[in-house]
Amino acid sequence: SQFANYAIVEKADAEKIIEKQNIDKVKNLVKEVKLKVTTSKTAKKSVKVKISGVKNLSSLIKEAKAMGYTVKYKFYKSTKKASKYKAVKTKTSNSYINTKGKKGTKYYYKAKVMVYDGKNLIAQTELKQCSYGVRTWSK
């Protein structure tokens, strides 16, 4: 009453197929992630940038780590809201503390999540503007 389909495949070919399926799954998960990036002042008047209140990020991290991938966070800053963002830090944690700035200058922050297979980038979220990201440097 039941039929099943079987295929005989060489191990190397099967591993390639599984790897492609895993990458496709991670890319689909990355598309569903909705980032919320916020800033706050620290006790030492530095600026803390944090990815929080994120939709679907925890499921992306769990799935990616279960498949052997690494999840990293990349933080950017600029003195202009719409352009000239420069990467300042790539970390494995979801927050970054900016300790350098020019007094009286407004800084804008952005962040994104990236998934790596060893050294190769396989997927990343869009670069997300901080919703509360304008901070005037006061040190």
Side-chain angles (χ1 to χ4, degrees):
S1 64
Q2 288 185 327
F3 292 97
N5 293 328
Y6 296 97
I8 298 173
V9 181
E10 285 189 34
K11 184 179 179 185
D13 292 338
E15 287 173 349
K16 286 179 186 176
I17 292 168
I18 292 168
E19 181 68 20
K20 184 180 181 326
Q21 288 173 344
N22 288 345
I23 289 172
D24 290 343
K25 186 174 184 178
V26 168
K27 285 181 179 179
N28 287 333
L29 286 169
V30 164
K31 287 179 186 175
E32 295 174 11
V33 170
K34 302 293 181 216
L35 294 182
K36 181 180 179 186
V37 185
T38 59
T39 61
S40 60
K41 293 266 185 176
T42 65
K44 294 182 180 181
K45 295 186 179 180
S46 297
V47 176
K48 182 176 185 177
V49 183
K50 185 174 182 177
I51 298 173
S52 61
V54 181
K55 181 182 175 191
N56 298 331
L57 183 60
S58 60
S59 62
L60 168 66
I61 292 170
K62 282 181 191 175
E63 291 282 337
K65 286 185 177 180
M67 291 182 224
Y69 298 127
T70 305
V71 177
K72 293 186 179 181
Y73 305 88
K74 195 165 194 174
F75 298 92
Y76 298 79
K77 79 174 182 177
S78 175
T79 55
K80 297 182 180 181
K81 185 175 184 175
S83 65
K84 296 190 178 182
Y85 280 86
K86 292 185 180 178
V88 289
K89 194 72 169 177
T90 301
K91 297 181 72 177
T92 55
S93 65
N94 68 343
S95 65
Y96 156 72
I97 296 177
N98 181 27
T99 57
K100 295 181 182 177
K102 187 176 176 184
K103 188 171 183 167
T105 302
K106 282 186 182 179
Y107 289 98
Y108 299 86
Y109 298 90
K110 288 187 176 186
K112 67 180 172 181
V113 179
M114 303 177 305
V115 181
Y116 287 90
D117 174 16
K119 292 184 179 181
N120 302 320
L121 176 66
I122 61 166
Q124 62 184 344
T125 61
E126 63 184 65
L127 194 59
K128 185 67 177 174
Q129 176 74 43
C130 289
S131 52
Y132 308 103
V134 182
R135 292 288 172 173
T136 302
W137 199 258
S138 60
K139 273 187 174 181

